[in-house]
Amino acid sequence: MRALLLGPWLRAGRGLPRAPGSGHRYRGHSEYRGHSGHRPQGPLRRVSVEVLEHLEHLALVDFRDAEGVERLQKAIQFADQLHEVNTDGVEPMDSVLEDRCLYLREDDVTEGNCTKELLENAREKVEEYFVAPPGNIPLPKLEERETFLQGSQ
Amino acid sequence: VAARGCGGVWRRARQRGAGQPGPGPSPFPRGQRAVACNAKGGAVPAGKSGLAPWVPVVGLEIHAQISSNSKLFSGSQVQFAAPPNSLVSFFDASLPGTLPVLNRRCVEAAVMTGLALNCSINKKSLFDRKHYFYADLPAGYQITQQRVPIAVNGSLSYSLCIDNKMSQMVTKTVRIKQIQLEQDSGKSLHDDTRSQTLVDLNRAGVGLMEVVMEPDMCCGEEAAAAVRELQLILQTLGSSQAVMAEGQLRVDANVSVHHPGEPYGVRTEVKNINSIRFLAKAIDYEIQRQIEELENGGTILNETRAFDSKLGCTVPMRDKEGKQDYRFMPEPNLPPLILYDAKSLPANMNHQQVINIDWIHERLPDLPSVKRKKLVEQYGILPEHSFTLLNEDGLAEFFESVVKETQMKPKKVIGWILKDLLSYLKQHSLTVKESPVSSFLLADLLNLLEKKEISSTAAKQVLAELWKGEVKTPLEIVKEQKLELLQDQKELEQICQAVIDGHENEVIMMVLG
């Protein structure tokens, strides 16, 4: 059975960490150690194929084959290097814009009226409406799909 | 609106007996309230039927479209009916390279609403992305305020009548959990014959205020009264026109039932409710459906149901696949929204870039509850009357202008307004603005009555004539139809004698008893 090290990356609500002690934007160099040889701290969590299927369902991504899944795993390992930084007691940063002023626009009509231009992007249209399939086409269940994940039960 | 309140506890009104009817659209006979309510509130002990009482729990999520010229994050126009996709900017269509720019008016609308609902305004609030796939959401996410919304912890007071005669009103309060700014989605038109959906993005990106209420209500009528009051408040503030028929006010109800003392039951979400009347019906139906299901040994699924107004029932909604994972993340393109008050006002900032909560607070108009109080105090009318006056658009102003033009006491005028004028308007489905009888005409008529030149029966006749909308004054009609009250005693005696003389038989019968 193939298991994937999706690890702490899956935990909700984690933002990018900042260096401890600095109240401002982090300007230091990050020490990239490269893909190989680095292990994230803490116990490795083994995650089931169900989680991977959930990811496919959410993001409408098809991991396609073993190489695709392996690439995902390597990407997670690379990102896990962030855990080397101690972020105890530090507020996560949402955006580098956090110290900027949020610009407030006056309530004037300045845009729109470009139906023709917008519809140029539409593959299909009906009388100036965009055409879409009826409702969401549900992703078929794992058993019914021709996906690489099937074989990894 | 004045509606009957329920005490908070329902008991199934139907007897267990032979021939349990199968599940059908209406769980109780038409027109009959299947409720054993205790008007004082509190749990009702199990009655003779031996069935344990149920406590329904109702929470509402209300989306109010902000009344503004342009959209929340873009400069395209906000308008109800327009050619498809004509009010859409590149940002609304989610073309790459576009960015959101916050509309100041939308923030002010949310602050006004928060203040009117007694909320704490968060001086720093944040924007987030809520991801899901649907054809009318071109970006694949909606910008909302999930973590720190603009306003929290408020309350809304509303009134209900607790008996049929509308003479005893009780005030209830529902807590407001939060108010958040968010984007509206576009509109989908489903074409089932050709198996496709037509998408119009005119509405995509319009500013919404989501008002989340705590589950403090227990039946459809409470919910309807609360929503009606919120609607009046929004219309008074001008932050939303809140017309449900145009989709400017959308209500979703969360309904569950449980036995007193036990934990809350599984809740269902009811959507697709298009009017306040249907809101009450949908909630009451769903409560009854859940009670029946549970008493028959079934379970309630945590699902989303749609209200079918034709059948008067709720049905499971298709296309809602299990529990959604919205993958909330901070909106990276928008810094925090900072609001100021008199104390924290920055000295050197551009005036146009600053929103001062205190400045807005000082300029809030009189809310409906304040207006009602003033009407009662100023004119000596009953509280129920003030409710009806404010419930009809323009009626309070009409009443006040009649009072100004007539010598008749307001307490008497109100009867003519609420009984005669209003019933005519309702019969002909007219608004106050469309009334063929203006406040001046009515005042003229009431003056004739007050000066005892005509009787009240005659006055009603004149009103009926005025209603036709012909250009005649009340005095002209009175003269035309000879409705003047006879003041001459002798003339009156002559008429009475003539009547008696002309109906000898009837007189004899009356004398004999």
Side-chain angles (χ1 to χ4, degrees):
Chain A
M1 176 184 127
R2 183 179 222 96
L4 278 176
L5 303 170
L6 296 180
W9 189 64
L10 274 183
R11 236 180 283 143
R14 283 196 87 97
L16 291 177
R18 291 156 84 182
S22 74
H24 305 284
R25 279 182 287 262
Y26 178 55
R27 282 185 203 255
H29 295 294
S30 52
E31 284 167 51
Y32 295 119
R33 296 241 195 97
H35 302 262
S36 56
H38 178 73
R39 279 251 172 270
Q41 290 159 328
L44 300 171
R45 278 204 313 195
R46 306 198 95 77
V47 182
S48 67
V49 161
E50 272 73 45
V51 173
L52 190 56
E53 190 205 347
H54 183 57
L55 272 181
E56 284 199 334
H57 187 95
L58 282 180
L60 296 184
V61 159
D62 183 352
F63 290 109
R64 191 66 30 176
D65 58 16
E67 197 192 322
V69 174
E70 182 61 23
R71 197 172 307 141
L72 173 69
Q73 185 171 340
K74 289 222 166 82
I76 293 164
Q77 271 178 259
F78 177 71
D80 276 345
Q81 292 179 97
L82 294 169
H83 293 304
E84 287 177 50
V85 181
N86 184 355
T87 59
D88 289 345
V90 178
E91 277 297 301
M93 179 170 75
D94 298 338
S95 155
V96 293
L97 299 174
E98 64 177 17
D99 291 337
R100 293 267 190 93
C101 222
L102 175 54
Y103 178 76
L104 294 173
R105 182 177 58 84
E106 278 303 309
D107 186 25
D108 298 318
V109 176
T110 56
E111 298 175 282
N113 264 310
C114 48
T115 318
K116 198 150 166 276
E117 250 180 304
L118 291 174
L119 287 175
E120 278 175 36
N121 280 332
R123 193 183 61 166
E124 262 188 83
K125 53 184 171 241
V126 169
E127 280 179 38
E128 301 185 327
Y129 287 95
F130 292 100
V131 177
N136 280 344
I137 302 168
L139 200 62
K141 293 213 183 324
L142 188 58
E143 308 81 63
E144 298 155 25
R145 270 190 288 153
E146 267 190 34
T147 166
F148 147 78
L149 292 183
Q150 279 240 40
S152 54
Q153 287 293 359
Chain B
V1 73
R4 291 194 300 272
C6 76
V9 177
W10 290 46
R11 215 187 303 143
R12 218 179 82 185
R14 287 215 319 263
Q15 319 298 75
R16 282 193 194 283
Q20 282 273 6
S26 60
F28 42 90
R30 272 185 187 284
Q32 187 182 312
R33 277 200 63 173
V35 144
C37 272
N38 177 354
K40 294 197 203 76
V44 176
K48 288 183 219 152
S49 57
L51 296 172
W54 290 100
V55 179
V57 177
V58 178
L60 299 179
E61 281 164 25
I62 299 167
H63 291 87
Q65 230 179 49
I66 297 175
S67 174
S68 61
N69 299 326
S70 56
K71 295 185 181 177
L72 181 59
F73 292 118
S74 71
S76 37
Q77 192 182 0
V78 175
Q79 196 180 295
F80 179 52
N85 292 308
S86 62
L87 309 177
V88 185
S89 68
F90 287 3
F91 171 76
D92 303 329
S94 154
L95 299 189
T98 55
L99 292 173
V101 185
L102 182 56
N103 179 338
R104 188 199 156 87
R105 156 73 188 160
C106 293
V107 179
E108 289 171 344
V111 171
M112 276 197 286
T113 307
L115 291 171
L117 295 177
N118 307 306
C119 295
S120 313
I121 306 294
N122 282 329
K123 293 226 196 62
K124 177 176 171 184
S125 61
L126 306 171
F127 289 100
D128 304 296
R129 290 184 182 180
K130 176 179 178 180
H131 298 81
Y132 63 93
F133 289 113
Y134 208 66
D136 60 21
L137 195 71
Y141 60 86
Q142 173 200 39
I143 301 180
T144 176
Q145 293 189 298
Q146 192 252 355
R147 287 169 297 158
V148 187
I150 190 167
V152 291
N153 294 339
S155 65
L156 168 66
S157 293
Y158 59 98
S159 290
L160 297 175
C161 286
I162 54 171
D163 62 14
N164 292 356
K165 286 167 280 169
M166 275 199 60
S167 53
Q168 257 190 304
M169 303 202 76
V170 61
T171 304
K172 298 210 166 195
T173 305
V174 56
R175 290 168 298 159
I176 306 286
K177 178 161 185 260
Q178 65 189 54
I179 300 178
Q180 62 204 49
L181 281 167
E182 57 183 37
Q183 292 174 303
D184 208 345
S185 65
K187 270 215 192 118
S188 311
L189 301 170
H190 297 287
D191 183 357
D192 291 323
T193 48
R194 283 181 207 81
S195 200
Q196 62 189 15
T197 298
L198 303 180
V199 178
D200 172 14
L201 297 178
N202 282 347
R203 201 184 65 182
V206 172
L208 294 178
M209 292 177 288
E210 176 169 346
V211 180
V212 182
M213 294 182 174
E214 300 282 12
D216 294 342
M217 291 166 288
C218 66
C219 62
E221 279 173 322
E222 289 195 350
V227 169
R228 179 62 184 137
E229 187 66 10
L230 177 65
Q231 196 178 36
L232 287 174
I233 290 175
L234 292 171
Q235 288 167 348
T236 303
L237 293 172
S239 55
S240 170
Q241 286 161 337
V243 175
M244 272 181 100
E246 288 183 11
Q248 291 165 339
L249 189 69
R250 311 200 277 264
V251 183
D252 299 331
N254 293 306
V255 180
S256 73
V257 296
H258 65 279
H259 291 299
E262 289 182 9
Y264 280 16
V266 175
R267 65 174 164 85
T268 61
E269 187 185 14
V270 183
K271 292 174 104 81
N272 194 40
I273 301 167
N274 299 328
S275 75
I276 294 187
R277 208 167 59 90
F278 286 151
L279 175 67
K281 272 197 176 164
I283 290 172
D284 288 343
Y285 174 89
E286 182 60 17
I287 291 172
Q288 202 62 31
R289 183 193 76 85
Q290 291 193 10
I291 290 176
E292 292 211 346
E293 185 69 31
L294 292 171
E295 288 192 338
N296 288 334
T299 53
I300 305 298
L301 294 171
N302 175 214
E303 60 176 348
T304 303
R305 298 175 73 88
F307 180 64
D308 185 322
S309 48
K310 289 199 202 82
L311 298 174
C313 64
T314 63
V315 295
M317 262 174 106
R318 58 177 187 85
D319 212 14
K320 283 277 172 176
E321 333 105 27
K323 202 142 191 281
Q324 287 270 35
D325 182 345
Y326 291 116
R327 289 166 291 149
F328 284 101
M329 65 175 257
E331 168 54 60
N333 294 321
L334 294 171
L337 172 61
I338 309 291
L339 303 173
Y340 300 93
D341 56 19
K343 272 189 270 178
S344 64
L345 213 50
N348 300 326
M349 256 178 90
N350 177 1
H351 197 61
Q352 193 269 342
Q353 287 299 313
V354 168
I355 292 187
N356 183 344
I357 301 168
D358 289 336
W359 190 91
I360 295 176
H361 204 143
E362 285 160 25
R363 282 156 187 75
L364 286 180
D366 273 352
L367 293 182
S369 52
V370 172
K371 278 195 206 167
R372 284 184 205 117
K373 220 167 123 213
K374 285 188 175 173
L375 284 171
V376 169
E377 281 169 6
Q378 197 177 347
Y379 299 111
I381 58 176
L382 295 174
E384 304 88 85
H385 297 159
S386 69
F387 266 93
T388 317
L389 280 181
L390 253 60
N391 218 31
E392 290 304 318
D393 195 23
L395 193 60
E397 289 76 19
F398 193 100
F399 165 69
E400 287 189 286
S401 91
V402 171
V403 165
K404 212 162 46 153
E405 299 293 323
T406 179
Q407 295 98 38
M408 186 183 276
K409 285 214 161 63
K411 277 193 199 175
K412 279 181 80 179
V413 174
I414 193 75
W416 284 90
I417 299 282
L418 296 184
K419 282 192 224 118
D420 301 89
L421 181 81
L422 193 57
S423 62
Y424 269 120
L425 289 174
K426 289 298 179 195
Q427 262 175 26
H428 297 91
S429 297
L430 295 171
T431 62
V432 173
K433 287 193 187 73
E434 296 166 340
S435 168
V437 179
S438 71
S439 56
F440 292 107
L441 281 181
L442 185 59
D444 262 354
L445 175 59
L446 296 182
N447 279 338
L448 290 176
L449 181 56
E450 190 67 6
K451 285 188 276 186
K452 296 205 166 46
E453 287 182 33
I454 54 173
S455 69
S456 71
T457 324
K460 289 202 208 282
Q461 252 182 277
V462 175
L463 185 59
E465 190 65 33
L466 281 173
W467 201 258
K468 294 184 189 162
E470 295 156 4
V471 188
K472 277 188 237 173
T473 68
L475 197 56
E476 286 170 353
I477 297 173
V478 165
K479 292 229 184 307
E480 242 178 58
Q481 301 193 6
K482 300 211 206 295
L483 294 169
E484 305 95 321
L485 270 181
L486 292 170
Q487 309 288 4
D488 187 344
Q489 179 80 358
K490 228 169 163 201
E491 209 185 331
L492 277 169
E493 278 184 17
Q494 282 179 352
I495 294 175
C496 290
Q497 192 62 47
V499 169
I500 293 172
D501 294 341
H503 295 87
E504 272 194 35
N505 292 335
E506 286 84 347
V507 172
I508 292 169
M509 304 260 305
M510 279 184 68
V511 169
L512 292 176

